[in-house]
Amino acid sequence: MKQFFAILCLLGTFLRALTQCRAPTSEFQLKGDYLIGGLFNIHYASDLFYRDRPEAIDCSSQSFSLSNYRRFQLMRFSVQEINNSTDLLPNASLGYEIFDHCSDTLSFPGIFNLISVNGLIQPWFGPHKNLSKVIAVVGPFKSTEALTVAPLLMADLIPMVNYGSSISAFSEKVKFASFLRTVHPNKDIIGVIVTIVQHFNWSWVAFLNSDDDYGIDGLGLFMQRTKDTKICLAYTTGLNANTNYSQIFKHIERARVHVIVVFAPEVVAEALIKSAIQLNITNKVWIASDAWSLNKRIPKMKGLGNIGTVLGVSQPVVTIPGFNDFIRSSKSQIQCLNDGRQKFCNQVCNCSRWSAEDILDADPSFSFPVYSAVYAIAHALHNILKCGQGGCNNITVYPNLVLAELQNSNFTLLNQTVQFDENGDLKFGYYSLVFWNHNGEAQKVGYYQFHPAVNFFINSTKILWYTDGEVPTSVCSPDCSEGYARNQNGIHVCCFTCEICPNGTYVNVTDDPFRCINCIDTEWSAEGSTSCSLRLVEYIPFTDTGAIVIMVGASALVGLILATSVLFAINYNTPVVKSAGGPMCFLILGCLSLCSISVFFYFGVPTTATCILRFYPFYLFFPVCLACFVVRSFQIVCIFKISAKIPKLHSLWIKYCGQWLLIAVVFFTATILLIGFSFDPPRPYNETSWYPKQTVLFCMWTSEANLCNLILPILLCCLCFIFSYMAKDLPKNYNEAKAITFCLLLLILSWIIFATMFMLYRGKYIHALNALAVLSSLYSFLLWYFLPKCYIIIFQPHKNTQQYFQGLIQNYTKTISQ
């Protein structure tokens, strides 16, 4: 009995082994009604070598990639699941022809096999002739491999549904008309990386990229995206098999960079991290691209925790129902399937040493892209065949028809809507943000969603930073204190020194942190300001006490002038009025009254009109007034002294009315000067240099205009003073020259006081002082020249007789003759 049971057990084991070995002859091939091509780099050729003759590479002799083998199995599972479906392609079956595409330059036999007909590749001369039996191709994974393969497929518009190639070039439909992909292009993942860097305020980063099309494209996009941001690229270099990692990390340490973006495939990233551990690189934040963020080998490296904190942008891990069971059930057939024989080049995998659990634990990145790529082709075929409940139509399917349906894809797969845009890129999906915890697991801490709207979220509290809870910093220069502007050092805007903004300027960090902006005239700021404040506007209003006093004084002056004029008019033929100048007195009094108009315009808010009226009346009529006194002084000297010595000069003066000629010349000269400077008249001016917090409203005239208009009065004052001084020894009771001299001294004293105050005092009351100087000048002539004569006319009429004046002259003549 025991022998019988032993025989039964041996027979059962034999039958089970026999059943297992009735599987298909290869994992790489499956017959079906419609054939899909597949390119997976199950192995990768890491070393370049010299060849002296054309030959294909034996991929099975190269390094094995477990994660890509997992993706290869996922395509097999997807086809099997579709073939077992009663809803998708109900009475049609899919087959596949898959090749191990381990090199971008030496794996062309598999490509030629896919596009050939009976071993021949013929151009498509007529419509739908000599076409390959392949309706679409899935893969390859790497961008460089896809770039070399794509042109061969594009020629016949064979759809190339890619699951891993993300460079920007494939979005150009003019070059890659039949290329579609179920992964986001590099511009999307670079956008996520830049968002992470900006979120944590890192401005000083290094970017290490693989020295291939994938890495170079990522670098270009990163530089483009950070061009107008606060992020500076401190260091960048390409990584390849000959990279000197020690030199790279020396540059990074020298630049004090604490954030490193690694945009490279998992093989390159593994070599980089391994070197970082060996070189004892610490206290860094590593940002991984989706190519290696879910890598399973790196977290197992001893000493990984010392290098810092690893963040990553990853493909979302999507659980695909039934795949685990497929791997476990198919693993038992691998011994029979991979017996070392291959029907065609690179269709064998010596991978029997990997268990089902090893395959399932491999990097799950790009699983859903592979899954959705196969399903996209199946849905396109389903629409072409017009499949329904009764089955599918049996018609010939051409690749270009599949392409047209693929471009219009719109179906739901595992709760995600699969669609492509006009460039063949995804219109759905999101990225996961992961953090490598101390257990070596990629822990999800956030996400970045693209559709229907951009949505970014990251939970920083779940990240265990190497800085014990605080977010690390990575800056070239620390931020400047408030009120300091940046002074850029070198080519990077992130490297700068801080300089405090001086008075009258401020810095707006939001708009331009590199410039101290001048405040406008109506504003002020203290040193180190971030904004300007309104200045206090200073001017003398008409209601000011000082202004009222001065204007009352000016009004009184006009009243006195009017009274004096009336008095002189009544006593016009008396000796006092004649000796004072006769008709010239009324000209002097009129000029004094017109000059007083200027005083009223030194108050209130200056305008162009008030500024003109502040200067013009005084500069026009005051020289005429001085000219009159010059004439009076000269006439006194001429009558008493010059006429006796130079009688001819006196006769000419009388003959040609010299006094009125001189006055006319002075008036004409003053008028010409004012007209000449009217092209640039006085105008309102905000004086902001006197006080930091105040604006004094002023009237500004050019220095040339002021100087030229002052020369004439000064010249007349000098002449008047000379002539009046020459007549100092005239009769005591008849010495008008002394009165004129005294008026001139008061005039000069008034303006000296004003000039001194102007240099010492800065403020709004400088206008009042100017008005007071003008008023004092006018009063000096009225009070010390005309008032004594008014006194004689009113209170000493006996001195206002012809006999009295003749007696004074006769006494002076006797004195001179003696």
Side-chain angles (χ1 to χ4, degrees), residues 427-429 449-455:
K427 286 180 66 176
F428 71 95
Q449 185 174 342
F450 295 99
H451 299 282
V454 173
N455 187 13

Side-chain angles (χ1 to χ4, degrees), residues 415-624:
N415 298 322
Q416 295 197 55
T417 301
V418 179
Q419 286 180 293
F420 301 99
D421 63 15
E422 64 277 5
N423 297 321
D425 298 327
L426 279 184
K427 286 180 66 176
F428 71 95
Y430 64 95
Y431 275 112
S432 296
L433 309 180
V434 298
F435 154 69
W436 285 11
N437 58 30
H438 295 318
N439 297 326
E441 298 174 353
Q443 177 183 346
K444 183 178 178 180
V445 294
Y447 60 85
Y448 190 103
Q449 185 174 342
F450 295 99
H451 299 282
V454 173
N455 187 13
F456 171 78
F457 170 76
I458 187 168
N459 188 351
S460 304
T461 59
K462 291 184 177 180
I463 302 174
L464 301 178
W465 302 103
Y466 68 83
T467 50
D468 297 330
E470 294 185 1
V471 178
T473 59
S474 185
V475 296
C476 179
S477 300
D479 286 338
C480 294
S481 301
E482 191 176 79
Y484 284 76
R486 301 175 182 179
N487 184 15
Q488 183 175 331
N489 295 332
I491 62 173
H492 296 292
V493 296
C494 300
C495 302
F496 50 83
T497 55
C498 299
E499 296 180 354
I500 192 168
C501 288
N503 294 333
T505 66
Y506 71 100
V507 60
N508 188 332
V509 179
T510 304
D511 293 342
D512 187 1
F514 293 90
R515 185 168 63 95
C516 292
I517 305 170
N518 292 321
C519 296
I520 60 177
D521 289 343
T522 57
E523 295 178 339
W524 72 279
S525 67
E527 186 180 58
S529 297
T530 57
S531 63
C532 293
S533 304
L534 285 175
R535 287 177 176 266
L536 178 64
V537 178
E538 291 272 318
Y539 66 94
I540 303 178
F542 288 103
T543 56
D544 185 82
T545 304
I548 293 174
V549 171
I550 293 173
M551 287 188 292
V552 168
S555 301
L557 175 69
V558 174
L560 290 172
I561 290 173
L562 182 60
T564 303
S565 300
V566 172
L567 183 63
F568 273 42
I570 295 173
N571 298 276
Y572 181 75
N573 293 318
T574 61
V576 171
V577 175
K578 289 181 179 180
S579 66
M584 195 178 295
C585 292
F586 298 101
L587 178 60
I588 296 172
L589 291 171
C591 289
L592 291 177
S593 61
L594 290 173
C595 287
S596 65
I597 295 174
S598 299
V599 175
F600 295 93
F601 297 99
Y602 279 91
F603 311 107
V605 179
T607 63
T608 302
T610 59
C611 286
I612 290 174
L613 291 173
R614 182 180 296 188
F615 290 103
Y616 278 29
F618 185 75
Y619 281 144
L620 180 61
F621 297 109
F622 195 69
V624 176

Side-chain angles (χ1 to χ4, degrees), residues 266-523:
E266 57 181 356
V267 176
V268 178
E270 288 174 8
L272 174 69
I273 300 300
K274 183 178 180 180
S275 298
I277 295 172
Q278 292 174 348
L279 295 170
N280 195 27
I281 303 301
T282 60
N283 300 334
K284 305 295 179 191
V285 175
W286 305 79
I287 301 180
S289 66
D290 59 342
W292 67 280
S293 58
L294 298 182
N295 186 279
K296 298 295 184 178
R297 289 188 298 271
I298 297 178
K300 297 177 182 178
M301 293 181 181
K302 186 177 180 181
L304 179 68
N306 297 329
I307 68 171
T309 304
V310 180
L311 303 179
V313 181
S314 74
Q315 297 282 333
V317 179
V318 179
T319 301
I320 300 176
F323 179 62
N324 292 1
D325 295 335
F326 171 79
I327 292 296
R328 291 189 179 96
S329 63
S330 62
K331 183 61 181 173
S332 59
Q333 303 175 5
I334 292 177
Q335 291 290 346
C336 299
L337 297 177
N338 298 312
D339 57 357
R341 298 188 301 273
Q342 52 181 325
K343 184 178 179 180
F344 194 79
C345 181
N346 292 332
Q347 286 189 315
V348 65
C349 175
N350 297 321
C351 47
S352 57
R353 69 187 185 92
W354 303 101
S355 66
E357 297 304 320
D358 292 334
I359 298 172
L360 294 174
D361 289 339
D363 184 352
S365 300
F366 303 95
S367 296
F368 187 76
V370 174
Y371 190 63
S372 57
V374 178
Y375 264 87
I377 297 171
H379 276 276
L381 184 61
H382 183 92
N383 294 336
I384 293 172
L385 298 178
K386 303 184 184 304
C387 299
Q389 296 295 332
C392 301
N393 297 334
N394 187 16
I395 60 175
T396 303
V397 177
Y398 300 105
N400 64 307
L401 299 178
V402 179
L403 174 63
E405 289 295 334
L406 277 170
Q407 291 170 336
N408 297 320
S409 294
N410 188 357
F411 62 93
T412 301
L413 184 64
L414 299 182
N415 298 322
Q416 295 197 55
T417 301
V418 179
Q419 286 180 293
F420 301 99
D421 63 15
E422 64 277 5
N423 297 321
D425 298 327
L426 279 184
K427 286 180 66 176
F428 71 95
Y430 64 95
Y431 275 112
S432 296
L433 309 180
V434 298
F435 154 69
W436 285 11
N437 58 30
H438 295 318
N439 297 326
E441 298 174 353
Q443 177 183 346
K444 183 178 178 180
V445 294
Y447 60 85
Y448 190 103
Q449 185 174 342
F450 295 99
H451 299 282
V454 173
N455 187 13
F456 171 78
F457 170 76
I458 187 168
N459 188 351
S460 304
T461 59
K462 291 184 177 180
I463 302 174
L464 301 178
W465 302 103
Y466 68 83
T467 50
D468 297 330
E470 294 185 1
V471 178
T473 59
S474 185
V475 296
C476 179
S477 300
D479 286 338
C480 294
S481 301
E482 191 176 79
Y484 284 76
R486 301 175 182 179
N487 184 15
Q488 183 175 331
N489 295 332
I491 62 173
H492 296 292
V493 296
C494 300
C495 302
F496 50 83
T497 55
C498 299
E499 296 180 354
I500 192 168
C501 288
N503 294 333
T505 66
Y506 71 100
V507 60
N508 188 332
V509 179
T510 304
D511 293 342
D512 187 1
F514 293 90
R515 185 168 63 95
C516 292
I517 305 170
N518 292 321
C519 296
I520 60 177
D521 289 343
T522 57
E523 295 178 339

Side-chain angles (χ1 to χ4, degrees), residues 20 76 120 122 138 217 221 228 244 264 406 432 470-471 490 512 585 589 597 610 658 693 774 792 807 812:
Q20 291 173 342
R76 295 182 61 242
L120 297 175
Q122 300 180 7
V138 176
D217 181 63
L221 291 169
D228 297 321
N244 186 341
L406 277 170
S432 296
E470 294 185 1
V471 178
D512 187 1
C585 292
L589 291 171
I597 295 174
T610 59
K693 301 180 183 180
V774 172
I792 292 173
Y812 176 75

Side-chain angles (χ1 to χ4, degrees), residues 105-171:
T105 57
L106 302 175
S107 295
F108 283 97
I111 307 301
F112 294 148
N113 180 272
L114 292 177
I115 62 177
S116 65
V117 180
N118 298 323
L120 297 175
I121 300 175
Q122 300 180 7
W124 189 359
F125 289 112
H128 312 315
K129 291 181 180 179
N130 301 322
L131 288 181
S132 165
K133 58 188 180 296
V134 175
I135 62 170
V137 174
V138 176
F141 177 63
K142 293 184 177 181
S143 296
T144 302
E145 297 166 352
L147 279 173
T148 57
V149 171
L152 300 175
L153 302 177
M154 300 299 112
D156 288 335
L157 292 181
I158 298 175
M160 185 175 179
V161 187
N162 198 278
Y163 58 89
S165 303
S166 56
I167 63 172
S168 305
F170 290 124
S171 296

